[in-house]
Amino acid sequence: MTVKKKIFLSLFAVFIACIAYGVYFFYLAPSANLQSIYLIPKDAVFVVETQKPVDNWDKIRESEAWNHLQKNDYFFELTESIHKMDTIFHNKKKLFQLFGTRSLFFSVHMYKPKEYGIFYVIDLKRIAKLKLLRSYLNTLLDDTYSLSRREYHGNEIIELYDKESRETLYLSFVKNQLIASYVHTLIEASIDQVGEPFIGRNLDFIEVKKKTGYDDMFRLYLQHDYLDDYAHYFTNEPTALIQTLSENFLFSGFSFDLASNNTMIAKGYTSISEGNLGYLKALQQSGTSKRSIPTIAPKRTALYMSFGFDSFTELYTNFLQIQQKNPEVFKAYEAQQQSIEKLLKIDVKENFVSWIGDEIAVLQIQSSITRGKNDMAMILKAADIEKAKTNLAFIQKQLKKRTPVKFKSINYKDYPINFMAIKGFFKLFFGNLFKSFDKPYYTIIDDFVVFSDKPNTLKSIIDTYIAKETLQNSEDFQHFNGNFKSASSLFAYINMPVLYENMLSIADKTTKKQILKNKDFIICFPQIGFQLTPSNDLFKSKFVVDYQSAAIVKSKEQFKDLRLFGPLLPTTAGSMPNVLDVKDVFDVAQVYPDDLNADVYKKSYNSGAKHVEVGLKDGLKHGRYNEYYPDGTLKIKGRYRKDKQVGVWRAYNAKGEQIERKRF
């Protein structure tokens, strides 16, 4: 055998040995791989999963909505750590493409009050054994980064320090997984729980994850227990809705994609707490119903939250059965109900529960009468409206007989408005979400009983119903509503341009400045919807977000800045003329008192100076009427009787001289 042949055979043997080792290493050798989800620290608020991180990240980067949002400072700050990871790895993405499809998880954690961090997990599979990435890291970096290493509980943590931003990206290889974060405590928490993973072995999470599906670009998992902590990042007082979700839901899972029509549709499942003793568990057991409240809900509704069921009687029965599982809670509930029944001599089940139909809703609307306040309404669909009228009249009679409340029904455009002051009544039946309806007024429109603590809210709903300016007559709402099943257990709809105006109207000066600055980044998601329908022990979930450019939203003329609205009554010293138009002097502006039991209605200028003062009786103008100039000089005086001007009325100029007199 020649020397050349021996060398060839030797090299060939080495080549075969390398192949054999590779086959064994990648395919036959025992594997101790970890699932990515096992490394997610237990306090994750959100977890996002994707099987094709490079391709899907490119799709997001190219989307119209993402590029629009990147112009917003707040959103850019919110996604800053994603951008940093992208800066490091995006130009080297061919390296990761060589490894094939890799699973990527990232999660959001509130690691201290008002501060959140993002944690990443990349499944490198068997390639991690070669330690290729560890040695390749230096080639990923330029002079703006420095690399150091340290040990933590037997695991090496690699620290990439950015000299320009003065921030550090922490990396570690845990078996087949690469974990990364700009918050070192998240890396350490992940390493600490390797032997006892929390989220990945939680039975409720496993059940939701199993049903969520893998066909779309991303899977989003939400751990509701930490949702209120996350909400504190944005506000000091999370809403009752956020608190309800945090207390009663466990996990939600969504599978979603970016649709070509700029609408994001996510589908999945939601689990609820076994310890839930409220209406949520009862709702899950009580069927669904079609939504009908849009027939009277104003078109300019900011938030519409609907609860649907086969019948309220069934829901109430299921609720009581669930309450009985905790004797202490049930005893307290019974005591509160019996206290109300004893006080008013009524039967709650017969006089209230029996006539409610298959839908209850809460609305936040933009009032057509008053601005600068959030108008809230609760609407109950009646199964039998005549029975509802009879029983509500009986409750009203008992209130007048057995409490100090003395309120006479008033008529607004042929719709009677009554007062129903029973403290804690609606919270007893519907939970904390309805606790704000403590002493409500109510009216009846078609088959619906509408409650609100502000009578002007009822008047506004009546106005829009008569004018047919309802959600049912909104093409935008009807088109968006088509993304959902017509029947559900829970349905939430947000009209963002209207919600924007409501936020603007009640914001303080600093917040209002920020809202105005970010207007185009708020209203570009004009409609958002969420739906739950029962599915065995879970809720089937659907989440839809519509994106449109701010220019298109504005062009639809559904959006108007409050700054463009003139006040219903002049409110600043500079806005009131000092010379009267005698022709219209006694055609005084309508007033809309918030308290229909009040004896007097007063309105002031922004300066605090008195503007209007008029006597009231049963919510109607009755008694002396005085109107003043901003400096306190009397402008008009006269009298009302049952909302009509009577007797002699007088008008004065800014010098206090009478310039007009008229008898009615």
Side-chain angles (χ1 to χ4, degrees):
M1 183 180 294
T2 65
V3 175
K4 288 184 178 181
K5 185 174 288 188
K6 288 181 179 180
I7 294 174
F8 173 76
L9 289 175
S10 298
L11 291 174
F12 182 73
V14 172
F15 177 69
I16 293 298
C18 289
I19 292 177
Y21 175 75
V23 170
Y24 171 79
F25 182 85
F26 285 104
Y27 299 102
L28 301 179
S31 175
N33 284 357
L34 276 175
Q35 293 186 40
S36 300
I37 192 66
Y38 288 174
L39 293 172
I40 301 291
K42 68 177 184 179
D43 58 355
V45 185
F46 303 100
V47 180
V48 177
E49 175 190 11
T50 178
Q51 298 297 321
K52 298 179 180 179
V54 175
D55 293 342
N56 289 337
W57 178 239
D58 282 344
K59 288 181 181 179
I60 291 178
R61 286 160 53 96
E62 294 167 3
S63 68
E64 182 182 348
W66 183 269
N67 283 292
H68 173 65
L69 289 172
Q70 292 309 295
K71 301 172 186 176
N72 175 251
D73 294 339
Y74 176 75
F75 183 81
F76 189 84
E77 177 187 346
L78 203 63
T79 59
E80 187 175 7
S81 61
I82 296 177
H83 280 277
K84 291 174 182 175
M85 287 286 290
D86 185 47
T87 300
I88 294 174
F89 291 117
H90 185 70
N91 292 332
K92 303 290 184 180
K93 67 181 181 181
K94 289 184 179 179
L95 169 69
F96 297 98
Q97 288 172 335
L98 289 174
F99 302 151
T101 300
R102 302 288 161 188
S103 169
L104 167 67
F105 284 74
F106 68 84
S107 51
V108 174
H109 304 258
M110 302 306 297
Y111 65 93
K112 64 180 182 179
K114 293 286 187 179
E115 294 290 343
Y116 70 91
I118 300 180
F119 177 82
Y120 304 86
V121 187
I122 302 174
D123 185 0
L124 301 176
K125 300 183 180 177
R126 291 179 181 271
I127 205 71
K129 290 186 177 181
L130 295 179
K131 300 183 180 180
L132 176 61
L133 286 183
R134 302 184 198 204
S135 60
Y136 196 84
L137 276 173
N138 286 324
T139 68
L140 288 171
L141 306 175
D142 54 29
D143 293 338
T144 60
Y145 293 92
S146 64
L147 185 147
S148 61
R149 304 171 189 268
R150 65 181 174 92
E151 289 290 319
Y152 179 79
H153 293 182
N155 281 77
E156 183 183 59
I157 295 179
I158 302 167
E159 300 177 340
L160 303 182
Y161 178 71
D162 186 335
K163 299 174 184 176
E164 293 181 355
S165 67
R166 298 183 180 181
E167 291 186 304
T168 302
L169 173 65
Y170 302 90
L171 304 168
S172 185
F173 293 86
V174 182
K175 295 187 178 180
N176 55 301
Q177 304 287 347
L178 168 63
I179 60 177
S181 179
Y182 281 90
V183 181
H184 72 275
T185 54
L186 294 180
I187 296 292
E188 294 166 2
S190 175
I191 293 172
D192 287 340
Q193 70 167 40
V194 169
E196 297 181 3
F198 178 79
I199 295 177
R201 300 309 302 151
N202 184 291
L203 293 177
D204 294 295
F205 173 78
I206 291 172
E207 187 176 12
V208 168
K209 186 176 186 294
K210 182 172 60 178
K211 289 180 173 290
T212 299
Y214 291 89
D215 294 333
D216 296 327
M217 288 174 59
F218 297 95
R219 269 75 58 203
L220 169 68
Y221 305 103
L222 171 61
Q223 187 173 197
H224 293 271
D225 191 37
Y226 295 96
L227 189 60
D228 52 352
D229 294 334
Y230 183 69
H232 275 104
Y233 179 82
F234 303 96
T235 174
N236 291 325
E237 295 293 335
T239 64
L241 173 60
I242 293 295
Q243 292 174 341
T244 298
L245 293 176
S246 184
E247 293 168 2
N248 296 286
F249 289 122
L250 294 175
F251 292 95
S252 288
F254 295 97
S255 178
F256 63 92
D257 205 341
L258 296 177
S260 58
N261 61 352
N262 284 326
T263 298
M264 186 194 78
I265 299 178
K267 300 177 182 178
Y269 290 83
T270 297
S271 61
I272 58 177
S273 170
E274 283 298 321
N276 184 295
L277 297 175
Y279 269 102
L280 188 62
K281 187 69 175 178
L283 195 67
Q284 204 270 340
Q285 300 174 355
S286 303
T288 63
S289 71
K290 291 186 176 181
R291 295 180 290 280
S292 56
I293 287 174
T295 58
I296 69 165
K299 184 181 291 186
R300 297 192 68 76
T301 292
L303 170 66
Y304 162 43
M305 180 171 291
S306 166
F307 300 86
F309 29 81
D310 290 336
S311 75
F312 187 74
T313 300
E314 178 185 352
L315 176 67
Y316 182 69
T317 300
N318 289 336
F319 172 71
L320 292 181
Q321 290 174 350
I322 292 168
Q323 289 274 332
Q324 290 172 10
K325 293 180 180 180
N326 187 323
E328 186 176 339
V329 172
F330 183 64
K331 184 178 179 180
Y333 178 86
E334 274 194 318
Q336 188 176 358
Q337 178 174 315
Q338 289 169 3
S339 174
I340 292 173
E341 291 181 327
K342 183 178 179 180
L343 172 66
L344 299 178
K345 298 296 182 184
I346 63 173
D347 184 321
V348 164
K349 190 170 183 179
E350 174 60 30
N351 300 130
F352 190 74
V353 173
S354 66
W355 55 263
I356 301 177
D358 57 9
E359 185 183 10
I360 297 171
V362 175
L363 304 181
Q364 183 190 122
I365 69 171
Q366 184 182 76
S367 176
S368 61
I369 292 176
T370 58
R371 299 188 179 96
K373 297 179 181 178
N374 279 326
D375 281 0
M376 302 293 296
M378 176 178 66
I379 303 179
L380 311 182
K381 182 182 179 182
D384 183 336
I385 196 62
E386 294 305 319
K387 187 175 182 179
K389 291 177 180 178
T390 300
N391 281 281
L392 285 169
F394 175 72
I395 294 175
Q396 193 75 25
K397 179 181 177 182
Q398 295 301 100
L399 273 169
K400 291 181 178 179
K401 184 187 299 185
R402 305 186 65 83
T403 70
V405 175
K406 304 297 178 185
F407 175 73
K408 190 175 181 180
S409 174
I410 68 166
N411 189 291
Y412 182 76
K413 299 184 178 179
D414 295 329
Y415 289 90
I417 294 177
N418 293 286
F419 188 50
M420 186 174 167
I422 310 177
K423 187 173 180 62
F425 185 75
F426 292 107
K427 180 183 177 182
L428 173 70
F429 282 98
F430 308 120
N432 287 333
L433 193 60
F434 296 80
K435 66 181 180 180
S436 60
F437 301 98
D438 202 22
K439 297 180 179 180
Y441 300 87
Y442 74 89
T443 192
I444 295 174
I445 303 174
D446 284 350
D447 292 330
F448 305 94
V449 184
V450 188
F451 295 88
S452 178
D453 277 7
K454 301 173 184 175
N456 292 334
T457 304
L458 301 182
K459 293 178 180 180
S460 184
I461 292 173
I462 291 169
D463 287 342
T464 54
Y465 175 72
I466 292 173
K468 297 183 178 180
E469 290 291 315
T470 63
L471 286 179
Q472 188 70 29
N473 294 317
S474 166
E475 291 184 8
D476 286 337
F477 173 78
Q478 288 301 324
H479 177 74
F480 184 77
N481 191 43
N483 290 303
F484 299 91
K485 291 182 178 179
S486 60
S488 58
S489 293
L490 186 149
F491 175 78
Y493 168 76
I494 294 175
N495 184 337
M496 191 56 74
V498 178
L499 186 62
Y500 165 87
E501 293 179 11
N502 283 3
M503 291 189 299
L504 185 64
S505 68
I506 64 172
D508 58 32
K509 186 176 181 180
T510 302
T511 306
K512 186 174 293 187
K513 184 178 179 180
Q514 289 298 316
I515 292 175
L516 289 169
K517 177 183 177 182
N518 293 295
K519 175 179 65 178
D520 286 0
F521 304 101
I522 297 174
I523 67 170
C524 66
F525 300 103
Q527 297 183 103
I528 300 172
F530 177 67
Q531 184 177 60
L532 296 178
T533 53
S535 177
N536 297 320
D537 292 331
L538 301 174
F539 279 110
K540 196 171 184 178
S541 313
K542 191 170 187 180
F543 182 66
V544 181
V545 178
D546 182 29
Y547 169 79
Q548 295 179 18
S549 71
I552 292 177
V553 176
K554 294 174 184 176
S555 71
K556 291 184 176 180
E557 298 183 357
Q558 66 173 6
F559 179 85
K560 300 173 182 176
D561 270 339
L562 289 181
R563 294 172 300 168
L564 303 180
F565 291 147
L568 295 172
L569 290 174
T571 56
T572 63
S575 65
M576 182 63 105
N578 285 330
V579 179
L580 287 169
D581 182 347
V582 177
K583 178 182 178 182
D584 301 318
V585 65
F586 296 119
D587 185 15
V588 298
Q590 182 62 276
V591 300
Y592 297 97
D594 280 331
D595 184 359
L596 300 188
N597 285 306
D599 295 326
V600 64
Y601 170 83
K602 296 179 180 180
K603 184 174 180 66
S604 301
Y605 293 100
N606 284 349
S607 64
K610 188 186 300 184
H611 183 187
V612 172
E613 184 173 341
V614 59
L616 297 175
K617 185 176 181 181
D618 298 328
L620 303 176
K621 296 188 290 294
H622 188 88
R624 292 185 180 277
Y625 175 93
N626 291 322
E627 185 174 342
Y628 302 88
Y629 289 102
D631 64 359
T633 303
L634 183 64
K635 175 185 175 184
I636 299 171
K637 72 175 183 179
R639 293 187 66 85
Y640 275 98
R641 182 182 297 133
K642 295 182 179 180
D643 220 37
K644 293 183 178 180
Q645 291 169 297
V646 296
V648 176
W649 281 62
R650 293 179 172 84
Y652 305 87
N653 63 19
K655 297 178 180 180
E657 301 166 340
Q658 180 175 311
I659 58 171
E660 185 71 10
R661 180 180 183 277
K662 183 177 180 180
R663 178 176 291 276
F664 287 87

